[in-house]
Amino acid sequence: MSSIGPGHDDMLLVIDVQNDFCPGGALAVPRGDEVVPVINDLINRFDHVVLTQDWHPRGHSSFASSHPGKEPFSEVSMDYGPQTLWPDHCLQGSRGAAFHDRLSRTKAEMVIRKGFRPGIDSYSAFFENDKITPTGLTGYLRERDIKRVFCAGLAFDFCVRYSAEDAQRQQFETFVIEDACRAIDMNGSAAATRDSLSRLGIGLVNSADIR
Ligand code: VGL
Ligand code: ZN
């Protein structure tokens, strides 16, 4: 693809680059730490940067440990729909919930925390998993006159996917920078994500395309 952006109405949305999603963390994404230098370079090139931070209270309903007899990576049905159960991760204030030490945070205009309500998970930076409870990010981006959203981070097939799909649904032109993401990839979820993103007209691009 020819080169795109970044311009003054573009936002780089950096999703969940936290210790627990990196090797050694509680919900490690394979090679998750490899996104850090790629994202740092993107942060230098974008005018606007927002970070998200998965931020769960103890005993969160997305934790398998909160559902007796259930294993991590199994599924339960919540009143808002199916929910994958995870190992305990990104506990508020913990070292695992902190951003990766080498992630450049200085330029971030805002950090949006998600998943802090005990009874509902939030993959997307825009809406919780009930698809109706907003995080406030849409209003922030509209008020700042942002027109395009470029997504990067962890995990490609969960929080990046849901954030990108909601960004597009909220009328932002949306791209996912694939080499700035890594996937959990359970039951073909990485391929399903690629299919879904292209069906929705979300651009899959590489960081080298953005200059
Ligand atoms: C995520 C599972 C649970 C993510 C967060 O950042 O993709 N995945 N919480
Ligand atoms: Zn989480």
Side-chain angles (χ1 to χ4, degrees), residues 27 56 60-65 67 70-78 80-87 89 120-123 129 157-158 162 184 186-187 189:
L27 178 40
H56 299 305
H60 191 256
S61 56
S62 75
F63 297 168
S65 61
H67 302 260
K70 294 286 182 184
E71 292 296 321
F73 309 105
S74 65
E75 203 176 88
V76 289
S77 150
M78 305 286 273
Y80 56 80
Q83 170 69 49
T84 301
L85 297 178
W86 305 105
H89 65 280
I120 183 165
D121 204 5
S122 188
Y123 294 151
N129 286 8
D157 40 350
F158 287 90
Y162 284 82
I184 294 173
M186 48 189 277
N187 312 315
S189 54

Side-chain angles (χ1 to χ4, degrees), residues 4-15 39 42-43 45-52 107-112 125-126 136-152 163-164 167 172-177 205 210:
I4 36 172
H8 63 280
D9 49 9
D10 291 337
M11 178 65 73
L12 178 66
L13 181 59
V14 178
I15 296 159
I39 289 174
L42 288 164
I43 288 172
R45 289 189 271 155
F46 272 80
D47 290 349
H48 304 291
V49 178
V50 167
L51 309 178
T52 73
K107 198 164 167 184
E109 296 175 359
M110 184 168 71
V111 175
I112 189 139
F126 293 87
L137 183 57
T138 302
Y140 179 81
L141 297 180
R142 293 229 174 100
E143 281 203 295
R144 299 293 316 283
D145 263 335
I146 296 299
K147 302 287 192 262
R148 302 196 300 181
V149 174
F150 291 76
C151 302
S163 297
F172 301 103
E173 189 180 352
T174 305
F175 299 85
V176 172
I177 308 169
V205 300
I210 300 166

Side-chain angles (χ1 to χ4, degrees), residues 14-35:
V14 178
I15 296 159
D16 296 0
V17 182
Q18 294 166 259
N19 291 320
D20 271 344
F21 297 123
C22 291
L27 178 40
V29 178
R31 307 192 305 158
D33 56 333
E34 290 179 4
V35 304

